[in-house]
Amino acid sequence: MDRVSGDEPLLPARVHRPSDLVRLFLGILGLALVLALAAFAHSTTAGLEKDIGDSTGKAPQLLADFAGLTANIAVFIVPVAFAMERLIKRDGLRIADGVLAAVLAHGVSLATDLWVARAAPETISDALTRAAPSGGVTDPVHGYLAPVIAYMTAVGMSRRPRWRVAMWAVLLLDAFAVLVGGYTTPFSIAVTVLIGWTVAYGTLYAVGSPNVRPTGQNLLAGLRRVGFKPVTALRSEDVPDGEHASHHDRGRRYIVTLEDGPPLDVTVVDREQQAQGFFYRVWQRLALRGFTQRRSLQSLRQALEQEALLAYAAIAAGANAPKLIATSELGPDAVMLVYEHIGGRTLDALPDEEITDELLAGAWKQLKFLQSRRIAHRRLDGDALLVDRSGNVVLTDLSGGEIAAGDLVLRMDIAQLLTTLGLRVGAERSVAAAVDMLGPDAIADSLPLLQPLALTRISRATLRQLARERSQREREAVLEASHARKAAKEAKAAEEAEEAEEKARAAEAAEAVAAGETEGAARAVEEAGAAGADQVTGSVEAADEARSGATAGSAQTVSMAKTGGGATASSAVKAGNGTGNGTRTGSGADGDAEAGGGSDRKAARAERQAEKRALDEAAEDAREEDLLSQIRQQVLLIRPQAAIEPVRLERIKPRTLFTFMAGTLAAYFLLSQLTNTPIGDIVSNANWVWVAVAVFFSALTQVAAALSLLGFVPEKVSFRRTVVAQVASSFVKLVAPAAVGGVALNTRFLQRAGVRPGLAVASVGASQLFGMVCHILLLLSFGYVTGTERASSLSPSRTVIGGLLTAAVLVLVVTAVPFLRKFVVTRVRSLFAGVVPRMLDVLQRPQKLATGIGGMLLLTAANVMCLDAATRAFGGDLSYASTAVVFLTANAIGSAAPTPGGVGAVEIALTSALTLAGMPADAALSAVLVFRLMVFWLPVIPGWISFTYLTRKGAI
């Protein structure tokens, strides 16, 4: 009894094939090209129709009638016959897919007919219809042929040669019949075929195609067909200890046990697994130079032949590789490759202590064997290096390799293996083992290829993860240094406060002592003064009684009086000196206070600079070099003169592609705006003085935008370059919605200007948040004024009341619905989490805040004045409040519109609002076109120049 691993995952009933999606896009592109040719090359299409009509008109009428009859019969018989054949083989799902595709194609055909009849340009209508022989006009799309094509495509008739021949014979016969009969046009046939084809593949991708991937039982049956006697098949993912662990995009792998003989390793590759990573490989082929493998366009048989050839070539070169012993197809959509079983574990599954220097040398030895025969592996990551039970390295997964590879690809293998081993054992051991086996020159030559673009996706993902971990460690180090600095600052402040408190207590004690001494001295002076007075009185009385003792008494009195008077005089002098000192000290205190304030500011500035230096030093100390830089340094120690400049591997850079797409879209939108615009009337009717005023205010908006941004950036950023960045944003708006392109460019600009990424995002977010609040307040204010400017009182208009009630209802709905409430709260919380701290930083700098607010108001005023000048250029006489309401409303609509720069939405909103405000429709349209020309289209060229300049300078 055959047994397959019980843990084998169930295959899905349907799969979404990338090839179907590619064909869907190709069909849409084909339809667009045909319609564009019909619209813009009217003379060519008319001539082509005439030539084909003349050619088919020469066919015999009998032949045309027979072809028409045969086609009408066959176009129904062939699909029914194929459906019966599929139902007999129990493949009804395909028939259901075909019927669904036919129904959808019929609906698309009806919609196309309606569009051509009512809304399509006249040139397209002329190309798709003609006068019918029975009167009237023909249908733009065949109502029965498009569903038949969709059905035949969806059921897979094109994959069966006989049915494919029958299908195309019927289609060509029917096309010939309707052309000869004059019932259609060549462009109508082309559109019909493309609609059927496109709808079919769109249906297949949407609902999925039936899964025909082989199961384990199919595998066992296939092995019997090639002569083996299998017993069990175990998926490699189920093998313990990481043995033969593999990735799903490299085929399903089984370990098969036999009745007699050693087990086998079997790899099953089907279309679905081959299609994994299809779009990534297509992008590589388009964006990178010609060293990429051509596997993206290979069939299953080509993939099988390539892997078999590489397996034989690797063994012939002397490398350890699995021996291929059999190959076979497993139905129309899968193949299998049978290898001898090699037991072991991949390098990724080995613990670090088991990766010895001998094992590293063995890995480099295998690569040396491949390079000696110019064989490139192209996938030397940890999963492709197998270590068997004897400790030998075996190279697996050779399916992506190349025979007769060039030097560039061979050096990429060396760079890849350096990285793979370096991720496990470090740069030093990896480079040392490589140099010992391949020599220093070969390793040094691979340094220009040591770049992420030349590595496998697995290695790039690992390097990105390590980079995130390094960044996290650096952030933690900076935060730790910041906390330590803050703790030290708080400790120092506490110590200074304690010292100041001690000094205050000492000063209070000294003042108390001084006050006690002063009071005792005063009492002594009073007592001395009283005693002196008594002595004087006694001396006067004694002088009358005894003249003989007057001299002695007088001398004693004079002596005591001098003592008392001297103390009093001394006190007076001291008091006078104290008063004088007090006056001088008071006047000097103001100067000391000013000097102290200046010194405090300098000290605070010095403190901030010291803190910034400390954080920068902490970040520098915590910074770690990435693995690729470490490998370069190790190689440079051996070959100091080695070239390390990375080789340019990109054929086209994403930035170049972005610029090209932006220019294409700009040209398209500009032409679409100007196609139906009465340029002559605008030029002749415009008042060019007001147009010049509009140009001035349009230029002023760039300066105002720079001020509004810098007001929310506490760091020092060049004002001139900020203005240039705002001009460049005019170019970016062509390929992104108005609310997205400017934000992305300003954030990038601030980061390049030295602002940390988180702070740059917070600054732009703060600017946007304040701009939104300012926009709403101005709209409400001007709306109120507009509603009351013609009234006798300041009562609000009904429009304002209706707007407020609508806003209130929306708020109630959001708060009442849990899902909406959670969504809004989450978004607002995430917004304020980064913006509010930045706003607090700005609030501490009133000058910056005034700059930001002034820039916002100036930006709105400049746009309003530009629109006002545009309206006055065509005779408009709206009030400034009405013009402001028109602009603010249209600007809000343009910010919400998904089109680049709000194209279409802004024009419609401005024209409608100006018309409702009282301007004639023609004048309103002309004014809007002039306004949009000033603020959107004219800045495109200087914006592109500014964008290129900033890119070249590395400022964005």
Side-chain angles (χ1 to χ4, degrees):
M1 181 67 182
D2 298 335
R3 186 166 58 88
V4 183
S5 170
D7 295 331
E8 183 178 17
L10 295 176
L11 299 178
R14 289 181 172 271
V15 291
H16 302 277
R17 293 175 175 168
S19 57
D20 294 336
L21 183 61
V22 172
R23 292 185 176 98
L24 170 63
F25 287 147
L26 291 177
I28 295 174
L29 180 61
L31 282 170
L33 290 176
V34 171
L35 294 178
L37 183 63
F40 297 106
H42 180 66
S43 300
T44 303
T45 57
L48 181 63
E49 288 183 9
K50 185 177 183 303
D51 293 340
I52 295 177
D54 294 341
S55 300
T56 55
K58 296 178 180 179
Q61 186 62 37
L62 180 62
L63 178 61
D65 294 339
F66 176 77
L69 178 62
T70 305
N72 289 332
I73 297 175
V75 80
F76 291 104
I77 292 179
V78 172
V80 173
F82 185 79
M84 294 177 63
E85 190 255 352
R86 288 291 91 195
L87 289 175
I88 292 173
K89 294 185 177 181
R90 297 182 180 182
D91 194 9
L93 287 177
R94 291 187 184 273
I95 304 304
D97 294 340
V99 172
L100 177 60
V103 172
L104 294 177
H106 184 65
V108 173
S109 300
L110 293 179
T112 305
D113 290 344
L114 186 63
W115 172 71
V116 172
R118 297 187 178 182
E122 185 178 356
T123 53
I124 293 180
S125 179
D126 293 341
L128 297 181
T129 60
R130 60 177 296 178
S134 58
V137 294
T138 60
D139 293 332
V141 180
H142 286 273
Y144 69 90
L145 193 58
V148 170
I149 294 173
Y151 170 84
M152 292 179 174
T153 304
V155 297
M157 291 181 65
S158 61
R159 290 195 292 268
R160 289 166 173 79
R162 293 181 180 179
W163 288 103
R164 181 171 62 242
V165 172
M167 179 184 71
W168 283 110
V170 169
L171 294 179
L172 291 175
L173 190 63
D174 186 81
F176 171 76
V178 293
L179 276 175
V180 171
Y183 291 99
T184 190
T185 66
F187 282 92
S188 175
I189 293 178
V191 169
T192 300
V193 173
L194 287 172
I195 287 178
W197 196 68
T198 304
V199 171
Y201 284 113
T203 304
L204 289 177
Y205 187 77
V207 302
S209 301
N211 194 347
V212 294
R213 296 173 63 181
T215 62
Q217 296 295 340
N218 301 131
L219 171 65
L220 297 178
L223 288 172
R224 291 191 189 93
R225 285 196 298 270
V226 293
F228 296 102
K229 297 180 180 180
V231 178
T232 62
L234 183 66
R235 286 286 294 270
S236 294
E237 290 81 357
D238 304 328
V239 178
D241 298 329
E243 184 173 345
H244 287 285
S246 62
H247 293 274
H248 296 287
D249 61 342
R250 301 181 182 178
R252 289 179 292 152
R253 298 182 181 180
Y254 294 84
I255 296 178
V256 179
T257 58
L258 304 177
E259 293 181 0
D260 50 352
L264 303 174
D265 289 333
V266 181
T267 300
V268 177
V269 181
D270 54 47
R271 295 188 186 277
E272 304 308 320
Q273 287 178 320
Q274 191 188 28
Q276 290 183 6
F278 172 80
F279 295 110
Y280 173 76
R281 293 194 298 271
V282 169
W283 166 249
Q284 274 197 324
R285 294 201 62 188
L286 292 176
L288 304 183
R289 296 185 183 275
F291 63 84
T292 56
Q293 60 264 45
R294 295 172 174 79
R295 182 172 174 261
S296 58
L297 301 178
Q298 283 182 327
S299 66
L300 280 174
R301 176 166 292 279
Q302 289 173 333
L304 183 146
E305 293 172 352
Q306 180 184 6
E307 186 166 350
L309 176 62
L310 284 163
Y312 292 134
I315 294 175
N320 296 330
K323 184 179 180 181
L324 182 66
I325 57 178
T327 60
S328 177
E329 292 184 351
L330 294 179
D333 297 321
V335 296
M336 71 173 181
L337 297 98
V338 184
Y339 295 92
E340 288 184 353
H341 176 67
I342 300 176
R345 292 176 294 174
T346 63
L347 183 68
D348 289 339
L350 288 178
D352 293 340
E353 59 272 10
E354 293 187 18
I355 304 179
T356 62
D357 292 340
E358 290 76 13
L359 191 147
L360 298 179
W364 285 108
K365 184 177 181 181
Q366 301 308 312
L367 180 60
K368 183 178 181 180
F369 286 140
L370 293 183
Q371 302 242 326
S372 65
R373 301 293 178 88
R374 305 194 69 82
I375 301 173
H377 189 285
R378 301 300 305 277
R379 283 182 173 177
L380 286 171
D381 50 29
D383 184 60
L385 300 176
L386 182 70
V387 181
D388 63 14
R389 294 182 176 88
S390 301
N392 298 319
V393 177
V394 180
L395 299 178
T396 64
D397 192 26
L398 292 164
S399 59
E402 293 183 16
I403 301 293
D407 292 335
L408 189 68
V409 180
L410 296 177
R411 287 187 290 163
M412 286 175 63
D413 269 358
I414 298 176
Q416 175 62 55
L417 191 56
L418 281 171
T419 305
T420 299
L421 298 180
L423 289 171
R424 296 301 311 272
V425 300
E428 184 176 358
R429 290 181 61 189
S430 177
V431 172
V435 170
D436 290 342
M437 186 59 61
L438 299 182
D441 294 333
I443 304 304
D445 291 341
S446 68
L447 287 186
L449 277 303
L450 195 66
Q451 50 181 301
L453 198 60
L455 304 178
T456 62
R457 301 178 71 180
I458 298 175
S459 298
R460 290 201 298 271
T462 305
L463 291 175
R464 285 194 297 268
Q465 178 63 29
L466 294 177
R468 286 192 291 268
E469 294 175 358
R470 286 197 307 273
S471 299
Q472 181 64 27
R473 288 194 294 269
E474 292 177 7
R475 286 194 295 268
E476 291 175 354
V478 172
L479 290 175
E480 184 178 355
S482 178
H483 293 328
R485 182 81 180 177
K486 185 177 180 181
K489 188 176 180 180
E490 292 176 353
K492 183 178 179 181
E495 183 179 353
E496 291 177 352
E498 185 177 354
E499 292 178 359
E501 187 177 354
E502 292 178 357
K503 290 180 180 180
R505 287 197 298 268
E508 290 176 0
E511 290 177 359
V513 172
E517 292 177 353
T518 303
E519 185 179 356
R523 284 197 301 271
V525 170
E526 291 177 359
E527 293 175 357
D534 291 341
Q535 290 294 333
V536 171
T537 304
S539 298
V540 173
E541 292 176 352
D544 294 337
E545 297 177 354
R547 294 282 184 181
S548 58
T551 305
S554 297
Q556 183 180 3
T557 302
V558 171
S559 176
M560 297 180 68
K562 284 181 178 179
T563 304
T568 303
S570 177
S571 298
V573 172
K574 287 181 178 181
N577 291 336
T579 304
N581 289 335
T583 304
R584 181 183 58 80
T585 305
S587 62
D590 296 336
D592 294 341
E594 294 177 0
S599 61
D600 290 342
R601 286 193 295 270
K602 291 181 179 179
R605 189 180 302 110
E607 180 68 22
R608 287 196 298 269
Q609 292 177 353
E611 183 177 0
K612 186 177 183 301
R613 284 196 300 271
L615 295 179
D616 292 340
E617 291 175 359
E620 186 66 27
D621 294 339
R623 185 170 291 113
E624 304 174 13
E625 289 187 342
D626 63 286
L627 176 65
L628 301 185
S629 298
Q630 296 176 20
I631 293 175
R632 293 189 191 98
Q633 290 182 0
Q634 292 296 325
V635 176
L636 289 177
L637 293 176
I638 303 172
R639 282 288 185 271
Q641 71 277 11
I644 62 174
E645 184 69 23
V647 174
R648 182 180 174 182
L649 300 177
E650 294 174 308
R651 179 184 288 114
I652 179 173
K653 293 184 177 181
R655 188 181 300 274
T656 305
L657 182 62
F658 170 80
T659 304
F660 174 77
M661 292 175 60
T664 304
L665 288 175
Y668 169 76
F669 285 124
L670 181 60
L671 291 176
S672 64
Q673 289 284 312
L674 298 178
T675 300
N676 299 318
T677 301
I679 303 297
D681 295 342
I682 294 177
V683 172
S684 60
N685 297 331
N687 186 332
W688 290 97
V689 175
W690 284 110
V691 173
V693 174
V695 173
F696 168 76
F697 283 111
S698 174
L700 186 60
T701 58
Q702 309 297 338
V703 179
L707 292 174
S708 65
L709 176 63
L710 292 180
F712 297 93
V713 183
E715 293 82 5
K716 186 177 180 180
V717 180
S718 171
F719 175 74
R720 184 183 66 83
R721 281 204 170 183
T722 307
V723 174
V724 176
Q726 303 314 303
V727 178
S729 67
S730 302
F731 172 71
V732 176
K733 291 176 183 177
L734 286 173
V735 291
V740 176
V743 172
L745 187 137
N746 285 331
T747 303
R748 178 69 173 175
F749 169 72
L750 291 180
Q751 292 178 8
R752 289 289 190 175
V755 182
R756 294 180 180 177
L759 299 180
V761 174
S763 294
V764 176
S767 175
Q768 293 292 316
L769 178 62
F770 186 87
M772 180 183 67
V773 174
C774 181
H775 191 100
I776 295 174
L777 294 177
L778 288 175
L779 183 59
L780 293 176
S781 301
F782 284 116
Y784 184 91
V785 173
T786 302
T788 60
E789 61 185 0
R790 294 184 176 88
S792 57
S793 63
L794 290 179
S795 60
S797 64
R798 292 185 178 182
T799 303
V800 175
I801 294 176
L804 293 176
L805 291 177
T806 303
V809 170
L810 290 177
V811 171
L812 290 176
V813 170
V814 170
T815 55
V817 180
F819 171 75
L820 294 177
R821 183 173 64 250
K822 182 179 180 181
F823 176 79
V824 173
V825 169
T826 303
R827 290 299 180 91
V828 172
R829 183 180 300 163
S830 62
L831 175 65
F832 277 87
V835 170
V836 170
R838 198 61 165 168
M839 290 291 292
L840 294 177
D841 292 340
V842 174
L843 289 176
Q844 297 176 3
R845 297 169 173 81
Q847 184 178 359
K848 281 284 187 180
L849 183 62
T851 301
I853 296 175
M856 288 289 180
L857 297 177
L858 179 61
L859 179 61
T860 302
N863 279 292
V864 170
M865 295 304 296
C866 183
L867 179 59
D868 181 75
T871 58
R872 294 181 188 277
F874 295 94
D877 192 18
L878 300 179
S879 65
Y880 291 114
S882 299
T883 306
V885 171
V886 169
F887 166 74
L888 293 171
T889 304
N891 191 44
I893 295 174
S895 299
T899 57
V903 172
V906 174
E907 285 81 357
I908 294 174
L910 284 173
T911 305
S912 302
L914 289 176
T915 304
L916 292 175
M919 281 190 69
D922 295 340
L925 176 61
S926 300
V928 169
L929 292 178
V930 169
F931 171 73
R932 290 290 283 173
L933 181 67
M934 298 301 164
V935 300
F936 186 75
W937 294 111
L938 279 184
V940 168
I941 295 178
W944 177 77
I945 296 173
S946 301
F947 185 86
T948 305
Y949 168 77
L950 293 176
T951 303
R952 187 170 59 252
K953 295 293 184 180
I956 56 175

